[in-house]
Structures are given as C-alpha cells and as structure tokens.
Amino acid sequence: MNQTFLGVGYTRDHAGLPLEAVPVTVPGPEPDQVLIRVAASSLNPLEYKLAELNFLGRTPPVALGFDLAGVVAGVGGDVTGLAAGDAVVAMADLDGDGGWAATGGGSFALARRFLTVRKPPSLGFRDGAALPMCFLSAFAGLYGRVRPGDVVYVPGGGGGVGHLAVQMAARTLDAAIVVSSGGGPESIELARRSGAHHVFDYKHDDIAAEIGRLTGGRGVDLVFDATYDEGSFAATAATVRRGGDWVVLGVGPGRTTRVAETRSPVDGILAERGARHVNVNLLRYFSEPELLDDEARGFLGRGMELAMEWADRGLVVPHVGQTIESGVDAVNAGLRTLKAGGGVHGKIAVIVDRDLTRGDARNG
Ligand SMILES: NC(=O)c1ccc[n+]([C@@H]2O[C@H](COP(=O)([O-])OP(=O)(O)OC[C@H]3O[C@@H](n4cnc5c(N)ncnc54)[C@H](OP(=O)(O)O)[C@@H]3O)[C@@H](O)[C@H]2O)c1
C-alpha cells in the first residue's frame, strides 16, 4: 500500500499550537503491529504538550491522535487473533504517529498488537476511541492497588482520566467510598454520575477537612491525583492515611511544566504519614523502551482488554462532552479548550471517518 493522507500534527520543534496538516504515507505494519483504518479518535492534553515541547525528541513532522478506534486494514507477520475487517480499539505508540485526519478522506495508523483489542459491538467507535489513553492511565494508577473496602480520593472526577478513575474505583475495584472534586457544577455532576459518593468543589471547599470528617480523622487509603496541579498535589497528599498510597500520574511534583523544576512539599507531607509516593506514567514506556518488557506489555494489554469488558458491561462508560469532525481547525480549537481547562468535561471525541462511525448508536 502506498497511499498518502493528510494527518494533523506539528512540523517544527517546539512549535506548539496551532497544529498543521501533515502529509503521511500509509505505513506498512512491522511484525507486531496492526494497521488500522481509523474511524474515531479523541483529544488528550499530551498532544498539545508534545507539539509545544517535543520532549520525546521526535524529528518533525509528527502526526498526532494516539487514541484509535477503527477497522483492521492489515497485520504484521507475528500478529495473531486479529484479521483485516475486525473492529478494534487501540492506542498508538506515544512516540509514534497518530490518526487524526486533516481532511475528509480518512486516515490510517499503526498500533502494537498488545495495545489493540477487539471492540465489542455494544461500544461505538466514538466512545471506544475515548478510552485508551485515559483508561490506561486510570488503570495504571488503580488496578492492583485499590483493595475492596478502601476509601479512595480522586481529585478532578470530571476530567478525562478522572471520571474513568472514579468509575473504576467505585464500580469495578470495590472501593467502599470514593471521594472526588470538581471546579464547577458540570464536573462535580460528572464525578457524581461516575459513582463518587462525595464530591467537593475544589475552589471553595476545605476538602482535607471534609475527608477528615468522613474518615474519622484517619485519611484515605489511596489518592489518585491526575490533575497536574502543584497546589492540588500538596493538598491531596495531606489527605492520605498513615501508611497509605499517594499515586500521581505523569512526571509528578515539582516537574509538571517539564521546563522548570520547583520545590515540592509533597514528599515531606507523605513522609510524616509513612505514606508511599507512587508515580505512574504511560509515557515512560515509550520514552524508556527498556521498560516495555513482557510484564509491562501484559499489564497494558490486560488494561485494554478490561476497558472493553467493563465498557461492554456498562461499568466504565466514557463521557463524551463534545464531538468534533477531524480537521485542523476543529482539532486546534478542541486542544485550546483542553489547555485552557474547565471547558469540556469528560472527553472530546474526534470523528475521523463518518462512514465507519455511522453505525454508532450514540454519536452526538
Ligand atoms: N504521563 C501520563 O501517563 C499521562 C497520561 C494521561 C494524561 N496525563 C496528563 O494528566 C493530566 C490530566 O489528563 P486529562 O486527560 O484527564 O485532562 P483533562 O480532561 O483536562 O482533566 C483535567 C482535570 O483536572 C481537574 N483539576 C485541575 N486542577 C484541579 C485541582 N486543583 N483540584 C482538583 N481537580 C483539578 C479539572 O477539573 P475542572 O475541569 O473541574 O476544573 C479536570 O477535571 C493532563 O495533564 C495530561 O497531560 C498524563
């Protein structure tokens, strides 16, 4: 196959937004890869951050759009269990190219076999594409860590990662109490609908005092903080019980901007409690490829399988707050909204191929 299409991405180092149209040659799959004709994708903050900082050292042009749902167009020689025509959900390698299209002609993207799973018929392409990166982030933070009966605090339960983390903790991992927060009525409502038992307004409430009251002064067993907010980090670390876990997504305290390092009080706060600082970061698997060993592949692959199983059973339901057609202007507008914060709750979905998504029951 030697077709080309126009993707959406960055053509210069540190260019930031706006993204541009990027010519892409439809690639051939390596032995462990699946070539996907993309039906839908979604937006993640990672994509504007990569355009701004190019911190994985890629040589532009780079095409973005890592969350993928679509139809298998070809498989590499070592791939088993999938064949052309299968409907799948996948995450592209975060140091590779993605699948947004700049024009109506559709797009193709590659994903590794272990990050590609069959899409159940009950899940539309659009909603399937809202899951991979945010679901895997929540999964990496919570799975195997939350024990039945735990009290869990997920600040920002109206966010892309946050609402799925709340659902996972409350509905699949049997946390006894899930506490969450939001910065306005819509995110508070989404956190509540996702299964949080207590949701506070992080701009106005004294959440540490509320958690103290709810837990008889003990604190929560586990915090999963995916807010990338330094102020939030110190505040949420102070809610962990003695010997509990403070799990943070991404680069962690003091380094959230990636360009400057600040002093963070978090480790001091956790040390006073004998609590653990656990860092989970999907990007590290791709920035440090030696981490992507069989165990990591097995774990992430299990996450993708469970995303489909739990979505099929209605336990984890991605909330799509906005749906856009794939195109340079629409993607730029969506990423600007994500960057500004507070504008869209849950996920922004991207329809890449209207023909393929026509069968989605719930496309808005
Ligand atoms: N390295 C990795 O593995 C990895 C993977 C995925 C995501 N990430 C990063 O994780 C972050 C979250 O991603 P996302 O897709 O969930 O983004 P998102 O949809 O924009 O959600 C961000 C959430 O944070 C909440 N928030 C912000 N400040 C807060 C505070 N002080 N207290 C409580 N909540 C607060 C927001 O709440 P309101 O909207 O109510 O204000 C919003 O719900 C991004 O920075 C992303 O780049 C990293």
Side-chain angles (χ1 to χ4, degrees), residues 93 110 138 145 186 188 210 225 261 276 285 313 327 350:
D93 281 6
L110 291 172
R145 267 187 259 278
E186 289 181 57
I188 288 172
E210 298 284 0
D225 196 324
E261 196 155 335
R276 278 176 296 274
Y285 294 116
R313 292 168 58 196
V350 183

Side-chain angles (χ1 to χ4, degrees), residues 19-46:
L19 302 180
E20 300 169 56
V22 174
V24 181
T25 301
V26 176
E30 296 290 320
D32 68 337
Q33 287 180 321
V34 179
L35 178 68
I36 297 166
R37 180 182 160 205
V38 182
S41 178
S42 73
L43 305 185
N44 288 286
L46 173 64

